[in-house]
């Protein structure tokens, strides 16, 4: 079985999670579920990034010791996972012993290989994003990542990043899909063409970090610390990464603002430590609120837990994947959420399942059988649905989640049209045999659509499979043959319509 290792970035613990964080995690969960369906042995990880000046300062502002502060916020990120129905295999905190050991080991490998040296650094420091910039990189006096920039000088260790320019460019050329999508790849290459400076990888201006081995006055640069989490989670340094199939198949999902760290620094660190490089860096866009990136510092965040509590995690997962064309930015809005929920989940899909299943229960003694022959209309219907579903898997593999869902929605509308046109309620008096055939075909297409819907709306999918008497693990297994007879005992409502006049939206008032 093929191994696939899927990672979310690890989240800063300076503030509680919002929709932007939930998005990266949900994308990874949906992708993990999809890979598992295709038979991959998936290892899916997430966690929290807990060191650095920014976190130390947030703890100071809150008047709490950094460890206690990070304990409490990391817990919020961990507790969010069951709300989002996320199936991660591990959760890492960079303050854990296993990680500190891995980072110290990694540092020593870089040092032994001659890529670290002691020097002095002056530059503009963006504390929000924990990165230095040169004067000409500033935009209107701020860092290019949008944070306030402070001029600072400090003695620190440098990593010989400049040595890797050609090797990295060569690697991108030989591995054109390493950075996805290509727009981000082009940005990275254009950044590299300006020349790579050596990178400051230790700090002395604060203490909240992993000490440099044998020089504890320095703490290790938080990005070097954080990126190493991906190795820690794969058992580094105890497991041999060079022979790890999982490591060779690691896909890092990241927001577009952190591509540079993952696509330039990280492969350079790994090359220096003589370790294999990840398979792919997949970058997504931002959720905006009134045109600005949703972020705690801008005070325009939305709380994912509120959406899960009020409308269910399936609804949030569906909205996030459908609304944003993967890789691009998009606006998050409650009205947009309700529109998509009502039109697709409640009216088109939920209602289709409900009316077809109820009809089977009420008019067919709870069961329908596979028809012996198909009419021309039936054949057209099944072929059209299959055409929608056939290409969907390759869309998924190219991270085109919104287009994938669009295909499923089209298949749902074909099924609704088929039922409307065939009118099983009229056939009930004129031709019961035909009525049963129509219902079987409708149920069968619902089942096929629901299998592909499963990675996005797993709770609902399980309800549908349960109504059909098919255990979830069988229903989503690649080689499962559909039974020739469906038995439906009880019909369960899937997505009740959101009625704006009766829903209490007060919970959103303080976001
Ligand atoms: N700690 C670093 C990552 C280290 S990984 C070795 C970090 N943390 S973060 O908390 O700021 O961001 C984590 C993820 O959340 C990123 O992928 C980021 O893009 C995502 N999001 C945070 N706000 C977001 C939006 N408003 N919209 C979409 N995703 C955004 O960076």
């Amino acid at each position: 079985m093929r191994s696939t290792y899927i990672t979310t970035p690890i989240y800063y613990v300076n503030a509680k999670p919002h929709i932007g964080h939930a998005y990266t995690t949900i994308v990874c969960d949906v992708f993990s579920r999809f890979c598992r369906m295709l038979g991959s042995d998936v290892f899916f990880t997430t966690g929290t990034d807990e060191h650095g000046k920014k976190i130390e300062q947030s703890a100071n502002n809150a008047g709490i010791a950094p460890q206690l502060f990070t304990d409490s916020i990391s817990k919020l990120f961990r507790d969010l996972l069951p709300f989002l129905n996320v199936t991660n295999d591990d959760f890492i905190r960079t303050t854990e012993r296993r990680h500190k050991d891995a980072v110290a080991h990694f540092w020593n490998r870089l040092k032994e290989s001659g890529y670290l040296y002691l020097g002095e650094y002056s530059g503009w420091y963006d504390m929000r994003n924990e990165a230095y910039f040169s004067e000409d990189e500033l935009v209107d006096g701020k860092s290019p990542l949008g944070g306030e920039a402070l001029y600072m000088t400090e003695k620190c260790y440098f990593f010989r990043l400049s040595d890797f320019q050609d090797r990295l460019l060569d690697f991108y050329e030989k591995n054109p899909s390493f950075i996805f999508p290509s727009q981000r790849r082009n940005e990275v290459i254009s950044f590299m063409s300006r020349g790579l400076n050596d990178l400051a990888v230790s700090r002395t201006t604060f203490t909240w970090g992993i000490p440099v081995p044998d020089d504890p006055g320095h703490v290790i640069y938080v990005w070097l610390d954080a990126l190493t989490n991906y190795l820690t989670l794969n058992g580094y340094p105890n497991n041999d990464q060079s022979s790890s199939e999982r490591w060779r198949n690691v896909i890092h999902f990241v927001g577009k603002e952190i591509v540079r760290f993952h696509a330039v620094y990280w492969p350079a660190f790994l090359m220096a430590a003589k370790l294999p490089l990840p398979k792919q860096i997949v970058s997504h866009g931002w959720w905006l609120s009134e045109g600005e990136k949703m972020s705690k510092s801008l005070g325009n965040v939305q709380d994912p837990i509120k959406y899960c509590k009020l409308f269910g995690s399936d609804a949030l997962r569906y909205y996030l994947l459908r609304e944003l064309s993967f890789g691009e930015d998009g606006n998050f809005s409650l009205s947009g959420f309700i529109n998509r929920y009502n039109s697709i989940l409640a009216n088109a899909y939920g209602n289709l399942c409900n009316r077809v299943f109820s009809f089977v229960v009420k008019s067919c003694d709870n069961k329908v059988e596979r028809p012996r022959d198909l009419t021309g209309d039936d054949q057209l219907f099944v072929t059209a649905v299959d055409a929608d579903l056939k290409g969907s898997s390759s869309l998924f593999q190219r991270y085109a989640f919104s287009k994938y869902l669009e295909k499923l929605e089209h298949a749902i509308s074909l099924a609704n049209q088929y039922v409307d046109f065939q009118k099983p309620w009229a056939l009930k008096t004129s031709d019961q045999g035909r009525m049963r055939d129509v219902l079987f075909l409708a149920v069968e297409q619902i089942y096929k659509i629901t299998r592909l819907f499963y990675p996005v709306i797993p709770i609902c999918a399980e309800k549908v499979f349960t109504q059909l008497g098919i255990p979830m693990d069988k229903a989503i297994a690649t080689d499962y043959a559909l039974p020739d007879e469906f038995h439906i005992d009880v019909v369960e409502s899937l997505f009740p319509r959101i009625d704006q006049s009766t829903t209490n939206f007060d919970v959103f008032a303080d976001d």
Side-chain angles (χ1 to χ4, degrees):
M1 199 193 285
R2 222 185 94 114
S3 233
T4 310
Y5 178 11
I6 295 164
T7 69
T8 76
I10 48 171
Y11 300 98
Y12 286 134
V13 290
N14 54 323
K16 67 178 198 171
H18 59 71
I19 286 284
H21 305 121
Y23 178 63
T24 315
T25 305
I26 287 173
V27 163
C28 290
D29 184 65
V30 168
F31 196 72
S32 296
R33 287 178 188 263
F34 186 80
C35 292
R36 285 190 207 107
M37 269 181 81
L38 292 182
S40 261
D41 173 20
V42 172
F43 183 56
F44 162 32
T45 66
T46 185
T48 45
D49 184 356
E50 307 191 8
H51 292 128
K53 197 176 175 89
K54 178 169 60 177
I55 313 282
E56 189 181 75
Q57 226 171 48
S58 301
N60 288 345
N61 293 344
I64 307 175
Q67 186 63 58
L68 287 178
F69 181 78
T70 58
D71 286 350
S72 66
I73 309 255
S74 175
K75 185 170 180 315
L76 297 179
F77 278 90
R78 195 193 284 263
D79 291 349
L80 173 65
L81 301 171
F83 277 103
L84 304 177
N85 197 9
V86 162
T87 53
N88 60 306
D89 297 292
D90 203 342
F91 183 97
I92 190 166
R93 300 186 54 190
T94 54
T95 46
E96 286 171 43
R97 183 78 266 154
R98 62 172 171 164
H99 179 68
K100 292 179 181 168
D101 291 346
V103 171
H105 191 90
F106 193 60
W107 176 277
N108 287 334
R109 289 291 83 75
L110 298 180
K111 187 130 192 252
E112 282 157 21
S113 58
Y115 287 105
L116 297 182
Y117 65 92
L118 197 58
E120 194 167 84
Y121 194 85
S122 300
W124 294 90
Y125 193 64
D126 171 352
M127 200 184 301
R128 190 160 102 204
N129 294 292
E130 303 272 13
Y132 268 112
F133 295 95
S134 60
E135 179 111 34
D136 59 331
E137 283 180 294
L138 300 186
V139 180
D140 300 331
K142 285 190 170 185
S143 106
L145 301 180
E148 295 297 330
L150 273 179
Y151 194 76
M152 304 210 328
T153 299
E154 58 180 315
K155 206 165 188 203
C156 57
Y157 284 90
F158 281 86
F159 173 71
R160 293 187 196 281
L161 185 62
S162 54
D163 282 14
F164 290 88
Q165 168 131 352
D166 294 342
R167 272 193 269 175
L168 284 171
L169 286 170
D170 186 53
F171 178 76
Y172 303 147
E173 197 171 314
K174 292 195 175 118
N175 299 277
S177 60
F178 176 65
I179 305 169
F180 181 92
S182 54
Q183 184 198 349
R184 302 284 163 239
R185 176 175 188 265
N186 298 341
E187 282 167 11
V188 166
I189 292 175
S190 120
F191 162 73
M192 304 265 298
S193 67
R194 280 180 260 139
L196 281 181
N197 295 324
D198 287 350
L199 183 71
V201 287
S202 76
R203 302 283 185 265
T204 51
T205 48
F206 60 91
T207 54
W208 181 241
I210 301 178
V212 167
D214 307 322
D215 199 351
H218 292 250
V219 292
I220 296 176
Y221 174 43
V222 68
W223 270 101
L224 174 52
D225 164 348
L227 287 161
T228 309
N229 93 84
Y230 304 129
L231 283 173
T232 312
L233 283 159
N234 199 33
Y236 182 85
N238 301 324
N239 280 359
D240 175 14
Q241 306 299 314
S242 309
S243 62
S244 161
E245 194 200 335
R246 190 185 273 175
W247 184 252
R248 259 179 284 126
N249 289 309
V250 59
I251 303 177
H252 299 310
F253 282 85
V254 298
K256 63 179 180 180
E257 78 285 15
I258 56 173
V259 169
R260 184 189 299 185
F261 301 96
H262 285 81
V264 181
Y265 301 170
W266 185 222
F269 293 152
L270 290 167
M271 281 175 181
K274 300 188 180 55
L275 290 172
L277 306 196
K279 186 168 150 201
Q280 200 174 34
I281 311 298
V282 178
S283 149
H284 66 72
W286 287 341
W287 282 102
L288 310 174
S289 183
E290 283 155 32
E292 293 221 66
K293 183 185 177 211
M294 199 187 282
S295 75
K296 168 77 183 168
S297 47
L298 296 172
N300 58 358
V301 294
Q302 299 265 3
D303 179 354
I305 292 185
K306 290 182 181 170
Y307 282 83
C308 292
K309 280 191 178 158
L310 206 52
F311 308 118
S313 58
D314 278 359
L316 180 65
R317 294 163 65 100
Y318 166 77
Y319 175 72
L320 293 180
L321 265 83
R322 179 65 175 91
E323 182 70 24
L324 211 64
S325 177
F326 190 79
E328 291 168 23
D329 295 347
N331 262 305
F332 188 95
S333 76
L334 179 60
S335 58
F337 180 100
I338 293 174
N339 281 344
R340 284 214 188 268
Y341 177 102
N342 276 343
S343 66
I344 302 300
L345 296 180
N347 291 359
Y349 177 70
N351 196 28
L352 170 72
C353 296
N354 196 276
R355 63 185 180 138
V356 170
F357 293 0
S358 302
F359 217 86
V360 172
V361 170
K362 283 195 208 122
S363 307
C364 307
D365 296 327
N366 303 81
K367 65 170 195 292
V368 278
E369 317 71 34
R370 186 177 294 283
R372 289 223 180 102
D373 304 301
L374 298 191
T375 65
D377 279 356
D378 297 345
Q379 263 154 5
L380 279 177
F381 168 48
V382 175
T383 312
V385 169
D386 284 346
D388 276 330
L389 304 187
K390 195 166 154 245
S392 60
S393 155
S394 77
L395 287 173
F396 214 101
Q397 276 153 349
R398 282 182 280 131
Y399 312 111
F401 304 116
S402 185
K403 284 213 175 74
Y404 175 88
L405 290 171
E406 216 176 302
K407 290 272 182 205
L408 301 194
E409 286 164 23
H410 189 253
I412 292 165
S413 90
L414 289 173
N416 271 314
Q417 282 165 29
Y418 175 78
V419 174
D420 290 346
F421 191 74
Q422 298 296 332
K423 300 190 179 48
W425 51 92
L427 290 169
K428 192 175 172 188
T429 45
S430 62
D431 186 347
Q432 292 216 350
R434 177 70 193 143
M435 172 190 78
R436 300 182 80 88
D437 291 355
V438 164
L439 289 168
F440 180 94
L441 288 181
V443 174
E444 185 184 42
Q445 307 322 301
I446 288 175
Y447 167 75
K448 291 196 301 203
I449 294 166
T450 305
R451 282 193 72 219
L452 295 177
F453 232 149
Y454 154 80
V456 182
I457 52 167
I459 295 178
C460 163
E462 184 159 18
K463 282 187 193 162
V464 169
F465 301 143
T466 306
Q467 289 175 79
L468 299 178
I470 309 171
M472 173 90 138
D473 53 340
K474 271 195 179 169
I476 60 171
T478 337
D479 51 0
Y480 180 66
L482 199 62
D484 289 340
E485 184 179 293
F486 288 109
H487 200 277
I488 302 173
D489 288 323
V490 185
V491 179
E492 199 182 338
S493 153
L494 300 173
F495 294 104
R497 251 189 90 77
I498 301 174
D499 180 346
Q500 303 210 45
S501 62
T502 55
T503 308
N504 182 353
F505 292 108
D506 290 353
V507 287
F508 295 112
D510 58 348
D511 272 339

